[in-house]
């Protein structure tokens, strides 16, 4: 039985999710001790972990022990039975955690690899359907939960990247938003997904393999890693109380226009910022902003697009009183109503906020998101730090070599969904972040440029793919989440091979039965 210490690396829930996902696929008996042992407010399984492990156990006929909220040790012994799933939009797999604030995206992280390779439904004659049918799944829980990817991040960053780079197609719908803040008896969030089967490497073959469509975005000249990508489109999502929607849109447009990374030529005075969705959140404690930047296609191919996303999820209740004058001077919103799918905002780069409490709050939120996004893009690479660690498991399972690098020598924060505060699934006070955010650029300049890569190359990424990385402990460039994810894949999949400081992966070409 493979035994993992849950305190290894980032020591949180990601280790559990990846380990169980791969164990379910491979039939590897697994034991995890000290579950989430690095968490300040106590470790142990959370409701979203239990929901995912329980479902995978049922799907693989696994014997389990210790799978309950708060448990610090559990075992998972699958019989490696890929059950046929006779699902449809009217008969989906249902995954529901014990608490409404448990993150649906974190549940999905644990079950998605299995769903990609699970056998399709059977025909009335009892034989596998041909072609294999998609798998429908409804997830119940939190869709906008602190320290976890939101539905909007999955929808706009992760899922498009999985489709472009790996050919993984996932239809998705946010049926009902579910928040970790607001009324205690608010409606549970619902996410509806349709996971399409992987294409076979050979037509009508029994085995189904994950074949990357864009296996490598690594430039031949490693020095190009340090260049700042040219952004061709920025999209924004805003969910907030009704009277904050327009002020937030104005602050975002102004901050984007004045940021030289996002708008290389701010002297043009205007920025065309696409608002993907603007809608009321339903409560004064619910403020969510997501900015997604992307590059252009490569040789006209969508697969070459790179995406960076950073967001803000507030947990404080807005204090009304000294409210500003509404839409900031210079902001012109056109096209669509609140809640529409597409909206544009044009703002003069020289315009100033009108003052007042709302304007100060909106400016602070916008400044944080814009600075975070600009810092991610300035590091170069193929996407943001959160995207990188979520791609690791798919790289390990894929056929052939993949390389999705982060900016070399860039400073990374070890952030994740499990920096808990007592009594909640994961929240963070907003007012404590302003000064740190405003100093972000200075900190990156001071610390990031001098950080040594973990492979001991002294800052020069030689990318020698002939020498494998030392996989005995978390390794490679990027965040500690990414380093830990690579380590877990190496433990459960001994054939996986990482090299060049974690930037190159030779996957195991895992195949699932039709």
């Amino acid at each position: 039985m493979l035994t993992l210490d849950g305190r290894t690396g980032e020591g949180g829930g990601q280790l559990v999710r990846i380990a169980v996902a791969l164990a379910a696929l491979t039939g590897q008996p697994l034991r995890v001790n000290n579950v989430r042992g690095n968490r300040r407010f106590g470790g142990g399984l959370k409701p979203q972990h239990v929901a995912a492990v329980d479902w995978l156990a049922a799907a693989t006929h696994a014997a389990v022990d210790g799978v309950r909220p708060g448990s610090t040790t559990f075992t998972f012994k699958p019989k490696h039975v890929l059950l046929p799933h006779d699902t449809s939009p009217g008969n989906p797999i249902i995954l529901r955690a014990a608490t409404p604030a448990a993150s649906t995206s974190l549940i999905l992280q644990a079950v998605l690899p299995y769903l990609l390779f699970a056998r399709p439904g059977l025909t009335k004659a009892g034989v596998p359907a041909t072609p294999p049918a998609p798998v429908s799944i409804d997830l119940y829980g939190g869709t906008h939960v602190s320290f976890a990817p939101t539905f909007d991040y999955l929808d706009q960053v992760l899922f498009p990247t999985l489709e472009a780079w790996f050919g993984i197609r996932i239809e998705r719908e946010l049926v009902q938003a579910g928040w970790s803040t607001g009324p205690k008896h608010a409606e549970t969030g619902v996410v509806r997904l349709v996971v399409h089967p992987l294409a076979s490497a050979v037509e009508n073959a029994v085995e189904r393999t994950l074949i990357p469509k864009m296996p490598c975005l690594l430039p031949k000249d490693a020095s190009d890693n340090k260049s700042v990508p040219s952004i061709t489109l920025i999209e924004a999502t805003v969910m907030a109380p009704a009277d904050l929607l327009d002020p937030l849109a104005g602050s975002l447009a102004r901050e984007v226009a004045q940021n030289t990374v996002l708008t290389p030529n701010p002297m043009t005075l205007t920025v065309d910022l696409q608002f993907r969705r603007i809608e009321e959140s339903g409560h004064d404690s619910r403020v969510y902003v997501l900015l997604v930047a992307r590059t252009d296609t490569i040789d006209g191919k969508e697969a070459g697009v790179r995406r960076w996303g950073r967001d803000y999820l507030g947990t404080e209740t807005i204090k009304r009183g000294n409210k500003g004058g509404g839409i900031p001077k210079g902001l012109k919103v056109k096209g669509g109503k609140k809640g529409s799918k597409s909206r544009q905002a044009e703002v003069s780069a020289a315009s100033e906020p009108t003052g007042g409490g709302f304007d100060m709050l909106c400016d602070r939120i916008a400044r944080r998101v814009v600075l975070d996004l600009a810092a991610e893009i300035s590091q170069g690479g193929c996407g943001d730090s959160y995207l990188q660690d979520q791609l690791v498991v798919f790289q390990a399972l894929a056929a052939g070599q993949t390389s999705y690098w982060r900016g070399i020598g860039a400073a990374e924060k070890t952030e994740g969904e499990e920096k808990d505060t007592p009594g909640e699934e994961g929240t963070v006070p907003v007012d404590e972040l302003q000064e740190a955010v405003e100093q972000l650029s200075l900190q990156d300049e001071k610390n990031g440029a001098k950080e040594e890569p973990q492979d001991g190359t002294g800052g020069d990424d030689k990318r020698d793919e002939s020498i494998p990385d030392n996989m005995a402990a978390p390794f490679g460039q990027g965040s500690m989440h990414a380093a830990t994810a690579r380590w877990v894949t190496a433990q459960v999949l001994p054939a996986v091979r990482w090299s060049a400081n974690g930037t190159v992966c030779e996957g195991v070409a895992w195949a699932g039965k039709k």
Side-chain angles (χ1 to χ4, degrees), residues 162-513:
L162 288 178
E163 183 167 2
W165 295 359
F166 290 93
I168 297 172
R169 187 160 70 94
I170 302 173
E171 297 179 56
R172 59 268 191 190
E173 177 189 2
L174 178 62
V175 179
Q176 171 69 46
W179 302 78
S180 57
T181 58
K184 292 183 178 180
H185 302 292
E187 293 185 26
T188 300
V190 183
V191 174
R192 185 158 293 154
L193 305 175
V194 177
V195 181
H196 288 261
L198 297 174
S200 297
V202 179
E203 188 176 358
N204 297 323
V206 174
E207 305 293 337
R208 308 194 69 82
T209 308
L210 183 56
I211 308 293
K213 294 172 62 178
M214 180 59 69
C216 183
L217 293 175
L218 181 67
K220 294 180 180 179
D221 182 0
S223 64
D224 288 348
N225 297 353
K226 297 181 174 65
S227 63
V228 177
S230 178
I231 301 302
T232 58
L233 176 66
I234 299 175
E235 291 185 310
T237 296
V238 179
M239 302 172 71
D243 45 0
L244 251 68
L245 291 176
D246 283 339
L248 259 178
S251 294
L252 284 168
R254 182 170 46 251
E255 291 292 335
V256 168
Q258 295 174 343
N259 189 284
T260 56
V261 174
L262 304 183
T263 308
N265 186 16
M267 298 307 294
T268 59
L269 298 183
T270 61
V271 59
D272 185 13
L273 177 64
Q274 302 292 324
F275 280 81
R276 189 181 181 102
R277 187 167 86 248
I278 299 180
E279 67 180 40
E280 297 180 20
S281 63
H283 194 270
D284 284 351
S285 68
R286 297 170 179 169
V287 179
Y288 179 70
V289 176
L290 169 67
L291 281 184
V292 176
R294 55 166 281 177
T295 62
D296 206 348
T297 58
I298 296 180
D299 298 328
K301 297 180 180 179
E302 185 71 17
V305 169
R306 291 180 280 166
R307 292 175 172 84
W308 294 260
R310 286 306 294 256
D311 56 10
Y312 168 95
L313 181 61
T315 60
E316 67 180 6
T317 299
I318 297 168
K319 296 178 181 179
R320 283 170 168 72
N322 185 20
K323 188 170 109 172
I327 299 177
K329 180 180 179 181
L331 174 67
K332 296 179 181 179
V333 178
K334 60 183 180 181
K337 299 179 180 180
K338 292 180 178 65
S340 64
K341 292 291 184 180
S342 179
R343 202 173 179 200
Q344 292 182 331
E346 294 180 357
V347 63
S348 167
S351 66
E352 296 294 337
T354 59
F358 267 25
D359 287 326
M360 292 176 63
L361 173 64
C362 293
D363 287 345
R364 183 179 63 181
I365 293 172
R367 186 177 304 115
R368 173 191 171 179
V369 179
V370 167
L371 284 175
D372 280 353
L373 182 63
E376 288 277 9
I377 295 169
S378 296
Q379 294 174 8
C382 299
D384 63 70
S385 55
Y386 305 120
L387 177 63
Q388 184 192 35
D389 68 70
Q390 293 180 77
L391 294 179
V392 165
V393 67
F394 302 103
Q395 290 183 264
L397 290 170
Q401 192 177 89
T402 56
S403 180
Y404 309 121
W405 46 276
R406 286 278 295 154
I408 303 303
E412 298 280 2
K413 297 179 182 179
T414 302
E415 294 183 338
E417 84 286 354
E418 290 142 327
K419 291 183 179 179
D420 306 325
T421 51
E424 300 200 18
E425 283 293 318
T427 60
V428 61
V430 175
D431 52 359
E432 296 178 2
L433 297 171
Q434 182 178 11
E435 292 185 6
V437 170
E438 292 176 349
Q439 295 297 319
L440 181 61
S441 297
L442 294 176
Q443 291 172 356
D444 287 343
E445 180 179 355
K446 179 180 178 181
N447 300 326
K450 295 181 180 180
E451 185 179 66
E452 301 247 340
Q454 297 180 32
D455 64 352
T457 58
D460 295 324
D461 185 14
K462 303 183 185 303
R463 302 194 177 279
D464 187 349
E465 299 170 16
S466 65
I467 304 176
D469 291 328
N470 182 354
M471 297 181 287
F475 61 93
Q477 56 132 241
S479 68
M480 182 55 72
H481 275 76
T484 305
R486 296 187 195 102
W487 174 78
V488 176
T489 64
Q491 305 309 302
V492 188
L493 303 171
V496 72
R497 182 179 183 274
W498 293 91
S499 60
N501 196 25
T503 62
V504 177
C505 178
E506 189 72 36
V508 299
W510 182 258
K513 301 289 185 181

Side-chain angles (χ1 to χ4, degrees), residues 100-150:
S103 169
T104 54
S105 63
L106 299 183
I107 297 174
L108 182 64
Q109 281 185 6
V111 303
L112 181 56
Y114 179 86
L115 291 174
L116 289 175
F117 293 96
R119 283 192 303 185
L122 300 178
T123 65
K124 292 183 179 180
V127 298
T130 304
V135 175
S136 298
I137 178 171
D138 286 357
L139 295 161
Y140 289 79
T143 63
H144 294 77
V145 178
S146 297
F147 299 114
T150 63

